[in-house]
């Protein structure tokens, strides 16, 4: 059973990684970089600043804790415990994986820290802003982040799914604490985001995609 799942994981990875060209190499490279979140996080921060410094402080703390929790569980606990080689370091895939800009990542890939962190932020912020536009846009962005990691050949699909689970769990845990404690400190304003706020975040996601798509043209 395990051998079958591993074989499928390799096949799916090679299928995604194999659909490459110069533009997609540049685009996925930019998507995968940490700075690609910058505009989205600025938009989320601006939305909170309008609601006061206490709201902003609690929000930033919640997101930071969710990312720290997801990242540490993925990188400091699961990866060294499982020790699953990344595709780019797997001898059985030598010469089969398309490597972009000689980027191979660390030795181990299960679970994906990128996936865990992306879903921790997307799910937590989406839950805090319970409007479809924000949640949908953020989840789409997180999925694109995950796809880029497979495209770059540094994670198997199984690594990505494992990271998603870790990220969602971290987001749910922090959100539960947020609902319990932040609302006591801030009152109803802790969850008083409007549809306009949701659209602002969704617009930031869309703008980020456009900016990266254009930036990738210069990196071909």
């Amino acid at each position: 059973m395990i051998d079958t799942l591993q074989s499928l994981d390799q096949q799916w990875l090679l299928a995604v990684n194999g659909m490459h060209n110069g533009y997609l190499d540049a685009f996925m490279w930019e998507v995968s970089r940490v700075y690609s979140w910058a505009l989205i996080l600025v938009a989320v921060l601006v939305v909170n600043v309008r609601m006061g410094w206490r709201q902003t402080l609690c929000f930033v703390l919640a997101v930071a804790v969710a990312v720290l929790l997801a990242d540490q569980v993925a990188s400091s606990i699961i990866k060294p415990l499982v020790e699953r080689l990344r595709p780019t370091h797997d001898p059985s895939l030598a010469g089969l994986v398309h490597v972009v800009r000689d980027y191979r990542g660390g030795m181990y890939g299960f679970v994906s820290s990128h996936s865990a962190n992306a879903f921790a932020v997307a799910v937590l912020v989406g839950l805090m802003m319970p409007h479809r536009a924000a949640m949908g846009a953020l989840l789409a962005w997180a999925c694109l982040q995950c796809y880029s990691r497979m495209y770059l050949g540094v994670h198997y699909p199984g690594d990505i799914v494992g990271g998603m689970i870790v990220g969602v769990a971290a987001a749910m845990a922090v959100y539960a604490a947020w609902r319990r404690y932040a609302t006591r400190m801030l009152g109803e304003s802790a969850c008083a985001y409007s549809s306009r706020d949701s659209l602002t975040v969704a617009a930031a996601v869309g703008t980020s995609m456009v900016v990266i798509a254009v930036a990738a043209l210069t990196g071909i």
Side-chain angles (χ1 to χ4, degrees):
M1 181 67 175
I2 294 179
D3 289 341
T4 300
L5 290 175
Q6 185 167 350
S7 177
L8 287 173
D9 225 12
Q10 291 181 344
Q11 291 176 34
W12 292 337
L13 178 277
L14 293 175
V16 172
N17 177 255
M19 295 186 291
H20 60 82
N21 58 50
Y23 178 75
L24 284 178
D25 283 0
F27 180 78
M28 293 301 175
W29 175 262
E30 297 298 332
V31 167
S32 192
R33 298 176 71 178
V34 174
Y35 88 89
S36 66
W37 281 91
L39 185 59
I40 298 169
L41 294 179
V42 167
V44 171
L45 191 60
V46 167
V47 165
N48 280 276
V49 166
R50 292 205 305 262
M51 301 173 71
W53 70 267
R54 289 197 304 169
Q55 168 79 20
T56 303
L57 181 62
C58 287
F59 184 91
V60 170
L61 181 61
V63 173
V65 170
V67 171
L68 181 64
L69 179 59
D71 189 69
Q72 289 303 302
V73 169
S75 299
S76 300
I77 298 177
I78 299 179
K79 281 182 180 176
L81 183 65
V82 177
E83 294 187 341
R84 186 189 193 192
L85 294 174
R86 292 179 187 263
T88 46
H89 294 294
D90 191 337
S92 67
L93 296 179
L96 299 177
V97 177
H98 172 67
V99 178
V100 178
R101 303 189 185 185
D102 201 33
Y103 173 65
R104 300 175 185 276
M107 187 62 66
Y108 304 123
F110 185 86
V111 295
S112 167
S113 299
H114 267 75
S115 173
N117 295 342
F119 268 81
V121 174
V123 173
L124 178 60
V125 177
L127 288 172
M128 289 176 170
M129 297 183 177
H131 299 278
R132 292 180 181 179
M135 177 66 88
L138 288 167
L139 288 178
W141 179 252
C143 288
L144 180 59
Q145 292 273 319
C146 293
Y147 185 87
S148 75
R149 303 303 288 172
M150 292 185 290
Y151 179 93
L152 295 175
V154 293
H155 282 297
Y156 291 106
D159 301 342
I160 297 299
V161 173
M164 288 178 176
I165 294 171
V166 170
V168 171
M172 295 296 290
V174 173
Y175 181 67
W178 166 274
R179 292 288 297 179
R180 182 172 182 179
Y181 297 109
T183 50
R184 291 181 183 178
M185 295 175 58
L186 304 173
E188 291 302 315
S189 66
C191 300
Y193 296 102
S194 66
S195 57
R196 178 184 176 183
D197 294 331
S198 180
L199 289 173
T200 298
V201 174
V205 173
T207 303
S208 295
M209 291 185 180
V210 172
V211 169
I212 290 174
V214 173
L217 290 172
T218 66
I220 297 177

